[in-house]
């Protein structure tokens, strides 16, 4: 594949625009009275569109445009069932918990997910455990995203892997550190529109090129009838696995620290409710479009050596120079929005949950600002060095990290905020047991007992432990419980 | 005025309202997952791809088990969030 100079120019222009937006955001936030509130949660001032786009682009990742189309391409119609968990994102990720979490976070000044646990369960130990979990899974997640970004730059810009990693680390480090969450949010509007518009544009181009949906399906039937029916080729998605995937790619969003903290940025309930609706609509259009284009690609290009390259391949083969430049920015936008959100979540865990709460509770605003910047840059550099030796299975790491977050945090969030009986020890044991169950199963020769994903087992164990331990341990202070539950 | 979702308290009516919203969202989510899996199991799993009926280019199991429920879930989310979800924010 050769990239034209016009395509390359559009791609570079896009990076320049991102940096410019971050500098604008820095000017907007530099006089903020409370640095943490502004830097990590945008002063809790975001309206529905900002919240919806920053939420949706934080949830989707580089895998959405690289690994996911490869699965659509390889597995045919069954891959849409694999993706169907996305149907619940707005409902469970925003509407189910939004009012409760946003109000609690606002009133108790929470800017990170561990903050939420510390204030609800009155347990600093729980905050430390949550922060460590975020660092472990967050860094693993970011490594996979850096590698995905480098692969895109290798393909499109002809960079060496080393320089691609360095270039990406500098761009994302600068634009996240300079702009904070406000810069990320402003950039996210551009990136989200690019991802949304790009997905629809490539779908229209590809489906038309393949002769329409009916022609595509008949071509797939001729290639391999298994592409039309579940469980798909190579027994891709047995029913228990399909059931589990609704949780991994849907319900798990409730506990992703870089996503759930976007609820903290909401200005008011009007914005929260509209954001829930927008998230559902955006992700529906997004995934249906990407699926249609990948399916059309299978009909037009029946085989490819590396399925991960299917999206870049169709962009360069089936669109013009300028549209190529815009479309190839879309996977990059997905990577950058996820990485910047993860950098803020992990640096927030270091600054607020480890340093400020446990080492220097009386830190001055200047110190907090410095620690936040240094943490963000240090994490960016650490991930850059880890990514120089790329892991082999990127999408596996993404799924592992998503499952890790969900196994650790889902039950403490849900039973902590919606069940009066949750005790501090119950919350802590629930978090640890979910984490340990997931890790234990991933290390087994068969990590999916009875065909169910380790996350499903992690959630079951975590819920049982939460209830059992809460029943026999000391609850929170009665006055506090009366205040938050009535 | 300070930004953010505010209230006088977290307990009482506010908690009951949040619990009601959570129950609705959780129940509809579980119903969506179970209905989608059940329809796909009945109409898709174990069938032959060579004979699979197609409507509008979509295999029938996809139409009834994935696309239909997904679109209905999105419509439910939009209607619930905009027209039904009301409470103590005023």
């Amino acid at each position: 594949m050769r990239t034209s100079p016009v395509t390359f120019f559009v791609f570079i222009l896009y990076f320049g625009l991102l940096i410019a937006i971050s500098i604008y955001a820095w000017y907007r936030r530099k006089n903020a009275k409370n640095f943490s509130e502004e830097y990590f949660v945008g002063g809790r001032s975001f309206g529905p569109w900002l919240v919806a786009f920053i939420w949706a682009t934080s949830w989707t990742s580089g895998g959405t445009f690289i690994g996911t189309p490869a699965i659509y391409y390889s597995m045919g119609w069954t891959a849409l069932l694999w993706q169907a968990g996305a149907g619940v994102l707005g409902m469970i990720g925003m509407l189910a918990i939004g009012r409760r979490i946003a109000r609690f976070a606002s009133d108790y000044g929470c800017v990170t997910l561990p903050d939420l646990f510390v204030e609800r369960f009155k347990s600093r130990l729980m905050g430390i455990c949550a922060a460590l979990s975020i660092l472990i899974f967050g860094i693993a997640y970011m490594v996979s995203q850096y590698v995905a970004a480098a692969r895109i730059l290798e393909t499109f810009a002809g960079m060496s892997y080393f320089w691609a990693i360095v270039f990406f680390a500098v761009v994302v480090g600068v634009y996240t550190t300079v702009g904070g969450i406000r810069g990320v949010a402003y950039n996210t509007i551009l990136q989200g529109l690019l991802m949304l518009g790009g997905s629809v544009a490539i779908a229209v181009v590809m489906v038309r090129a393949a002769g329409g949906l009916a022609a595509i399906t008949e071509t797939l039937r001729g290639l391999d009838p298994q592409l039309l029916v579940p469980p798909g080729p190579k027994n891709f998605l047995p029913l228990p696995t399909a059931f589990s995937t609704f949780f991994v790619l849907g319900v798990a969003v409730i506990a992703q620290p870089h996503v759930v903290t976007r609820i903290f940025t909401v200005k008011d309930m009007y914005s929260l409710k509209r954001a829930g609706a927008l998230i559902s609509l955006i992700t529906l259009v997004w995934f249906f479009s990407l699926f249609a284009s990948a399916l059309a690609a299978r009909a037009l290009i029946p085989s490819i050596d590396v399925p991960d390259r299917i999206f870049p391949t169709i962009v360069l083969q089936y669109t013009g120079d300028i549209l190529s430049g815009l479309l190839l920015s879309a996977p990059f936008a997905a990577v950058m929005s996820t990485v910047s959100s993860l950098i803020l979540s992990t640096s927030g865990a270091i600054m607020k949950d480890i340093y400020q709460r446990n080492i220097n509770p009386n830190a001055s605003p200047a110190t907090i600002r410095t620690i936040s910047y240094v943490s963000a840059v240090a994490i960016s550099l650490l991930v850059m060095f880890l990514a120089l030796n790329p892991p082999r299975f990127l999408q596996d790491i993404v799924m592992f990290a998503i499952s890790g977050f969900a196994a650790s945090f889902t039950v403490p969030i849900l039973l902590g905020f919606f069940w009066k009986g949750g005790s501090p020890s119950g919350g802590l044991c629930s978090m640890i047991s979910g984490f340990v169950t997931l890790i234990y199963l991933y290390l087994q020769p068969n990590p999916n007992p009875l065909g169910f994903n380790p996350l499903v087992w992690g959630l079951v164990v975590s819920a049982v432990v939460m209830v059992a331990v809460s029943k026999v341990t000391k609850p929170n202070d009665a006055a506090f419980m009366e205040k938050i539950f009535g | 005025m300070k930004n953010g979702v505010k209230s006088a308290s977290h307990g009482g009516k506010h908690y009951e309202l949040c619990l009601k919203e959570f129950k609705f969202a959780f129940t509809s989510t579980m119903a969506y997952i179970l209905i989608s899996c059940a329809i796909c199991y009945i109409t898709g799993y174990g069938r032959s791809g060579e004979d699979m009926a197609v409507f509008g280019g979509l295999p029938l199991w996809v139409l009834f088990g994935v696309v239909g429920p997904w679109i209905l879930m999105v419509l439910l989310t939009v209607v619930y969030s905009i027209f039904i979800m009301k409470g103590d924010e005023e």
Side-chain angles (χ1 to χ4, degrees):
Chain A
M1 284 182 294
R2 286 184 60 84
T3 308
S4 83
V6 175
T7 303
F8 190 69
F9 175 75
V10 172
F11 192 46
I12 294 300
L13 196 66
Y14 163 74
F15 284 108
L17 198 54
L18 291 183
I19 298 292
I21 290 172
S22 292
I23 293 170
Y24 170 72
W26 179 78
Y27 274 108
R28 284 284 311 264
R29 71 170 176 80
K30 69 176 181 177
N31 294 323
K33 288 177 186 165
N34 185 329
F35 172 80
S36 294
E37 286 263 326
E38 173 56 34
Y39 187 73
F40 291 108
V41 292
R44 307 187 201 277
S45 63
F46 292 172
W49 286 94
L50 268 183
V51 173
F53 271 113
I54 197 171
W55 193 101
T57 55
S58 295
W59 171 238
T60 51
S61 67
T64 307
F65 287 86
I66 304 296
T68 301
I71 289 173
Y72 298 160
Y73 175 89
S74 304
M75 301 304 166
W77 280 106
T78 302
L80 198 59
L81 174 60
W82 175 82
Q83 187 68 75
V88 306
L89 292 177
M91 181 66 88
I92 200 78
M94 184 61 78
L95 303 186
I97 61 172
R99 188 190 299 270
R100 185 79 167 148
I101 297 296
R103 183 161 293 178
F104 189 90
S106 175
D107 288 354
Y108 285 86
C110 303
V111 299
T112 65
L113 185 59
D115 263 352
L116 208 59
F117 293 131
V118 172
E119 294 297 342
R120 159 61 186 90
F121 292 102
K122 302 299 177 196
S123 163
R124 287 205 306 186
L125 181 58
M126 202 169 169
I128 293 171
C129 289
L132 291 175
S133 180
I134 288 171
L135 284 172
I136 292 168
F137 291 115
I139 287 173
Y141 199 153
M142 277 191 279
V143 168
S144 73
Q145 298 303 294
Y146 271 52
V147 176
R151 295 292 185 218
I152 297 166
L153 283 171
E154 276 184 312
T155 306
F156 287 125
M159 284 183 176
S160 69
Y161 182 80
F162 175 82
W163 286 112
I165 286 283
V166 172
F167 176 76
F168 179 74
V170 169
V171 171
V172 81
V174 167
Y175 114 107
T176 307
T177 309
V178 169
I181 191 67
R182 189 173 291 281
V184 171
Y186 291 167
N187 274 321
T188 292
I189 287 281
L190 171 70
Q191 292 170 327
L193 288 173
L194 195 60
M195 290 159 69
L196 194 61
S199 306
V200 174
I202 192 71
V204 170
V205 169
M206 292 303 294
V207 171
R208 286 182 66 178
L213 208 49
I216 292 168
T217 300
E218 290 313 314
T219 306
L220 296 186
R221 198 197 299 266
L223 287 173
D224 179 1
Q226 289 298 312
L227 292 168
L228 263 66
V229 287
K234 301 176 187 171
N235 197 27
F236 163 63
L237 200 69
L239 193 63
T241 311
F243 176 79
S244 303
T245 311
F246 277 90
F247 288 85
V248 179
L249 296 179
V251 178
V253 76
I254 228 168
Q256 304 302 305
H258 60 299
V259 182
V260 76
T261 45
R262 300 304 157 247
I263 297 174
F264 300 176
T265 66
V266 172
K267 180 169 60 178
D268 50 28
M269 272 307 294
Y270 171 87
S271 302
L272 192 146
K273 291 188 288 187
R274 294 316 188 258
L278 285 169
I279 286 165
S280 287
L281 292 166
I282 289 168
T283 49
L284 174 78
V285 173
W286 217 326
F287 289 119
F288 276 23
S289 299
L290 282 174
F291 181 76
S293 54
L295 217 56
R298 184 64 191 264
L300 291 164
I301 310 168
S303 68
I304 187 168
D305 289 341
V306 182
D308 276 355
R309 291 191 182 144
I310 191 61
F311 186 81
T313 301
I314 61 177
V315 166
L316 288 181
Q317 280 194 15
Y318 290 92
T319 62
D321 288 347
I322 294 176
L323 189 56
S324 283
L326 290 173
L327 288 174
L328 69 83
S329 303
F332 225 89
V335 172
M336 292 186 77
S337 53
T338 302
V339 167
S340 50
S341 286
L342 281 163
I343 286 177
L344 287 172
S345 289
T346 46
S347 61
I350 291 174
M351 189 286 292
K352 186 84 193 283
D353 306 307
I354 294 177
Y355 179 76
Q356 197 178 2
R357 276 194 194 280
N358 298 288
I359 299 173
N360 186 3
N362 300 316
S364 68
T367 306
I368 290 171
R369 185 181 293 117
T370 304
I371 296 285
S372 299
Y373 289 154
V374 169
S375 303
V377 171
I379 286 168
S380 187
L381 288 174
L382 172 65
V383 174
M384 184 184 84
F385 284 115
L386 292 173
L388 288 175
N389 291 310
R392 287 180 61 195
F393 305 108
L394 292 188
Q395 200 60 18
D396 289 348
I397 293 179
V398 172
M399 301 290 269
F400 172 71
I402 288 173
S403 301
F405 286 140
S408 305
F409 303 139
T410 302
V411 173
I413 289 175
L414 296 186
L415 294 188
F417 284 90
F418 294 95
W419 180 49
K420 296 176 184 177
S423 73
S425 300
L428 180 64
C429 293
S430 168
M431 183 187 291
I432 293 171
S433 62
F435 176 92
V436 170
T437 303
L438 187 97
I439 299 285
Y440 172 77
L441 287 175
Y442 262 100
L443 294 175
Q444 299 306 305
N446 172 23
N448 307 311
L450 304 177
F452 292 101
N453 185 284
L455 172 59
V456 173
W457 295 109
L459 292 176
V460 170
V461 171
S462 179
V464 170
V465 168
M466 175 89 179
V467 173
V469 175
S470 293
K471 291 282 185 192
V472 296
T473 53
K474 188 182 170 189
N476 279 110
D477 173 66
F480 172 71
M481 294 301 279
E482 176 67 21
K483 187 179 175 188
I484 64 169
F485 286 102
Chain B
M1 191 180 82
K2 191 181 169 189
N3 286 319
V5 178
K6 311 298 289 182
S7 76
S9 83
H10 296 273
K13 288 183 178 174
H14 169 73
Y15 169 63
E16 287 170 15
L17 177 65
C18 293
L19 189 61
K20 187 177 80 172
E21 288 171 356
F22 173 73
K23 283 178 179 172
F24 177 82
F26 185 78
T27 305
S28 56
T29 295
M30 289 303 138
Y32 166 72
I33 294 172
L34 292 174
I35 289 170
S36 186
C37 286
I39 295 174
C40 290
Y41 177 71
I42 293 165
T43 61
Y45 279 87
R47 303 292 179 97
S48 164
E50 289 167 357
D51 307 327
M52 176 52 67
V54 172
F55 180 81
L58 277 71
L60 284 187
W61 73 270
V62 174
L63 182 64
F64 294 119
V66 182
V67 174
W70 191 335
I71 290 174
L72 285 176
M73 189 67 191
V74 170
L75 287 174
L76 180 67
T77 306
V78 172
V79 169
Y80 181 68
S81 63
I82 294 177
F83 299 109
I84 299 173
M85 205 174 157
K86 289 187 169 56
D88 57 1
E89 64 269 30
E90 291 80 21

